[in-house]
């Protein structure tokens, strides 16, 4: 029998460009510019992200695997000529026509290759008619692929060392991406009616890294191989497993490694563990789904979100709030009220998304039972345009896209550029936490890992809190990253209030770190110049009828010689070509 050889790939580009396979607006391969700092023009940071799940799967198989991330159509066709037994395609619902084109091509030109489908796109109705395939994974892929290839699905998960962004650009200036990625688990047990990431895993949480020690080891490996100290955690509600988070903190304290993290968390979970725990754990940014001011959902019920967000920000944690537009209770008045409410919460950033009934969710089942699901193309299910259900008050699809876009504008007008907000939160928090740390040491207070509070030291004398000192040093390093961008934030500020904020942030940086060093001064001036060029490019794009500049991530190919490792686990040389970390080979 032929030895299996697997190709795992994301759907082909270009992305965010409307063609016969996918939409333009709403389908860019970027988070910030597309979903968070949309309408912030030159102030919008630009980042794309590699398809993390592919690297996780490739790392954990005994089968030789190649990843082709972000291929062009031509590049995909060429790769197939290298000869594979299986092609795994990862896709989401709005990209289903791209997956279809890839699968049809494989069937036509390489009928001997087996097609495996995975990702959230597998919930697309009539999948078998839409996308020819031999097998489909509707859930966690590591265990599924191991089972498919006759390996042990329950073997421990090895976490890849992965840098998240495919590119990183601010005020038109490209810098080297540095942020690591962690994938400790999938799904969420909160089971909100609309939430596909919960329903895809049977409304349960599926842990990949079960203990704090495992998470810590994944951080250490990533730091060793890529030098990353800051991580984005791809887990819907990381603090929902408080024991694991406590263990992670204990590991960091024991090893003196104050890593920092960006996380998703529901408000009730933060409330339960307390903001001081988040600070000590090194949370740099938290994404909270606030959804609507009329929410009866347990995750926000009885929580003063305004106070919670203010406390998080005052302690240096950047808050990204997300809200859903066009819920059933929304009419012209209440949707406006909700937009004003979320802007008034004064988080650093806000994500606005349109309510979308994704097949298999409770929301979809309910609306279908009510006869309200509209027969529109799956390519439109990206949450930034036409609703896929009949809304009681908003019948015109043009309103769905317009009101969403205007919501982003409201946030920008009232709150100014997100980058300036983040800098302000970071530097204010740093100043406050430094003072609090000193005061606690004077008062003889120590961290109690049981109560998750600072308390008087038993017996009076408190030993120096060396971990918090190291945490503050790390914070200082992270806070300083924003500083050079403040001048451009001021020069291109959209209004007087935003200009004032930028000035305030600059003054706080001087208070915290003294006058700008020469290197930072030069960097700040460079950003003003590159920002000016970027501004002109954005204006040109608008003249050409686009919303802004659409950037494309490069294609990257990574080989895993897993069969060699399976035969001899000591053969580290057989790990991905292009080490350290998952560097692979970016291809233009
Ligand atoms: C990172 C991310 C992005 C990145 C893209 C990264 C990339 N290279 O594609 C960015 C920010 C650019 C992005 C953009 C968008 N995204 Co997005 N994104 C995510 C996010 C937050 C994390 C994905 C991730 O890495 N998870 C961790 C890994 C381990 O899980 P995984 O990818 O699901 O893979 C596992 C399984 O699904 C399975 N699997 C996956 N693929 C395959 C393939 C095979 C062969 C097999 C066997 C198994 C398998 O095994 C993997 C390991 O267990 C998810 C939400 C989430 N929590 O998953 C949303 C999510 C995937 N995105 C979503 C959406 C809607 C979008 C946008 C349309 C939003 C918008 N309007 O801008 C755009 C589309 C961009 C485009 N052109 O494709 C939806 C998809 C809904 C759906 N049913 O299709 C999600 C689920 C968010 C949500 N809750 O609605 N996104
Ligand atoms: S808390 Fe968030 S991730 Fe969990 S089910 Fe609700 S929306 Fe989904």
């Amino acid at each position: 029998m032929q030895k299996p050889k697997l190709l795992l790939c994301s759907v082909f580009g270009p992305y965010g460009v409307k063609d016969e396979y996918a939409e333009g607006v709403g389908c860019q391969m970027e988070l910030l510019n597309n979903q968070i700092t949309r309408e912030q023009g030159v102030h919008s940071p630009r980042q794309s992200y590699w398809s993390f799940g592919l690297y996780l799967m490739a790392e954990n198989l005994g089968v030789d695997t190649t990843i082709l991330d972000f291929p062009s159509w031509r590049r995909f066709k060429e790769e197939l000529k290298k000869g594979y037994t299986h092609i795994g395609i990862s896709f989401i619902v709005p990209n289903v026509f791209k997956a279809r084109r890839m699968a049809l091509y494989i069937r036509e030109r390489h009928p001997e290759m087996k097609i495996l489908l995975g990702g959230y796109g597998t919930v697309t109705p009539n999948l078998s008619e839409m996308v020819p395939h031999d097998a489909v994974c509707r859930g966690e892929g590591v265990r599924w692929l191991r089972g498919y290839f006759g390996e042990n699905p329950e073997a421990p998960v090895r976490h890849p060392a992965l840098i998240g962004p495919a590119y990183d650009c601010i005020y038109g200036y490209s810098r080297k991406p540095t942020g690591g990625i962690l994938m400790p688990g999938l799904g969420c047990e909160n089971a909100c009616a609309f939430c596909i990431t919960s329903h895809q895993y049977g409304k349960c949480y599926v842990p990949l890294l079960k203990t704090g020690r495992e998470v810590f080891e994944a951080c250490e490996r990533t730091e060793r191989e890529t030098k990353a100290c800051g991580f984005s955690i791809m887990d819907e509600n990381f603090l929902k497993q408080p024991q694991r988070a406590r263990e992670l903190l204990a590991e960091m304290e024991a090893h003196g490694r104050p890593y920092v993290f960006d996380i998703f968390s529901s408000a009730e979970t933060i409330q339960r563990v307390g903001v001081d725990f988040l600070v000590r754990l090194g949370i740099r940014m938290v994404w909270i789904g606030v959804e609507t001011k009329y929410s009866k959902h347990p995750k926000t019920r009885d929580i003063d979100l305004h106070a919670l967000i203010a406390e998080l920000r005052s302690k240096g944690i950047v808050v990204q709030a997300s809200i859903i537009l066009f819920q059933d209770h929304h009419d012209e008045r209440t949707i406006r009220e909700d937009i004003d409410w979320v802007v008034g919460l004064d988080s650093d950033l806000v994500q606005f998304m349109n309510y979308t009934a994704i097949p298999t969710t409770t929301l979809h089942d309910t609306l279908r039972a009510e006869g309200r699901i509209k027969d529109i193309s799956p390519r439109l299910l990206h949450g930034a345009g036409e609703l896929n259900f009949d809304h009681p008050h908003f019948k015109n699809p043009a309103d769905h896209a317009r009101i969403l876009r205007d919501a982003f504008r409201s946030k920008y007008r009232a709150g100014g550029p997100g980058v300036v907000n983040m800098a302000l939160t970071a530097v204010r928090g740093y100043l406050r936490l430094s003072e609090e740390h000193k005061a606690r040491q004077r008062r003889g207070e120590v961290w109690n890992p049981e109560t998750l509070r600072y308390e008087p030291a038993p017996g009076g004398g408190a030993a120096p809190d060396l971990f918090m000192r190291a945490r503050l040093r790390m914070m200082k390093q992270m806070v300083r990253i924003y500083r050079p961008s403040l001048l451009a934030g001021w020069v291109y500020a959209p209004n007087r209030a935003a200009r004032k904020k930028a000035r305030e942030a600059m003054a706080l940086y001087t208070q915290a770190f003294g006058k700008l060093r020469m290197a930072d001064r030069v960097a700040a001036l460079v950003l003003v110049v590159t920002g000016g060029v970027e501004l002109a490019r954005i204006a040109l794009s608008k003249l050409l009828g686009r919303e802004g500049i659409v950037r494309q991530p490069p294609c990257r190919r990574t080989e895993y010689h897993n069969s060699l490792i399976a035969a001899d686990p000591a053969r580290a040389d057989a790990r991905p070509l292009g080490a350290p970390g998952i560097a692979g080979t970016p291809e233009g």
Side-chain angles (χ1 to χ4, degrees), residues 188-192 194-195 197-198 236-237 266 291 297 299:
C188 174
E189 58 205 50
N190 276 10
C192 300
F194 59 85
C195 180
T197 47
S198 179
E236 294 295 62
N237 211 343
S266 55
E291 320 305 8
H297 197 281
K299 73 178 178 177

